[in-house]
Amino acid sequence: MPKNKGKGGKAFKRGKSDASGQDKRELVFKDEEQEYAQVTKVLGNGRMEVQCFDEKNKKRLAHIRGAMRKKVWINMGDFVLVALRDFQDAKCDIVLRYSEDEVANLRKAGQLPERALQTDAQQEEDDDLVEFDADAEIDVDIDEL
């Protein structure tokens, strides 16, 4: 059998130097017919249930567009940009997934409302702030248990 001399190996497909794939990109804001949303449930087959942050505050069935499939992984709790459909109000298409840094920048810019749910990273930071009162005495009679 001849030896492979062409391009197309494992290292070529992944990219040679950048293993993370997280390049700094310009922050994308919403346009007309687009809305910010947060993924509330992963349904499978490229479908998600998202909570949109528009006037209606409506839950919609979102579909990952073809260019993002198997390239961008979207999990529950991620913030996404969705394109609304004119002919189906209950469905939308996921156009872009925002990273944690981009979500923080959107909040600073006032684009995301305060009613937006917290992400996992923000919840972990809040969990670290839990304090227990060691001085509190609890009077429990063992016989009552």
Side-chain angles (χ1 to χ4, degrees), residues 8-52:
K10 190 177 191 180
F12 179 78
K13 289 178 184 174
R14 284 190 182 163
K16 294 191 172 61
S17 63
D18 188 24
S20 66
Q22 295 292 333
D23 294 332
K24 290 287 184 181
R25 65 177 181 220
E26 187 176 330
L27 189 61
V28 178
F29 295 105
K30 70 177 183 174
D31 294 333
E32 292 181 22
E33 302 296 321
Q34 290 182 341
E35 196 59 54
Y36 300 113
Q38 186 174 19
V39 178
T40 56
K41 191 185 290 185
V42 179
L43 302 173
N45 198 21
R47 297 176 302 139
M48 317 250 168
E49 184 179 276
V50 296
Q51 179 74 41
C52 292

Side-chain angles (χ1 to χ4, degrees), residues 53-137:
F53 302 122
D54 55 355
E55 304 86 36
K56 298 176 185 177
N57 197 21
K58 188 173 184 180
K59 285 193 175 188
R60 292 184 169 98
L61 180 68
H63 188 265
I64 300 174
R65 69 185 195 117
M68 291 180 63
R69 283 182 152 232
K70 298 197 178 187
K71 292 183 179 87
V72 178
W73 296 104
I74 300 175
N75 298 318
M76 193 171 78
D78 286 346
F79 287 89
V80 293
L81 182 66
V82 297
L84 303 176
R85 297 181 180 178
D86 294 336
F87 51 93
Q88 292 176 320
D89 191 39
K91 293 184 180 180
C92 58
D93 299 303
I94 296 178
V95 177
L96 181 72
R97 176 187 171 267
Y98 289 111
S99 66
E100 295 290 330
D101 296 334
E102 291 171 330
V103 170
N105 290 338
L106 282 173
R107 285 196 176 162
K108 287 178 188 174
Q111 293 289 322
L112 281 179
E114 293 300 323
R115 63 185 169 153
L117 301 175
Q118 292 181 338
T119 59
D120 292 334
Q122 293 169 340
Q123 287 178 356
E124 288 175 6
E125 290 175 7
D126 292 345
D127 289 343
D128 293 340
L129 301 176
V130 174
E131 296 179 12
F132 293 98
D133 190 14
D135 297 333
E137 294 183 21

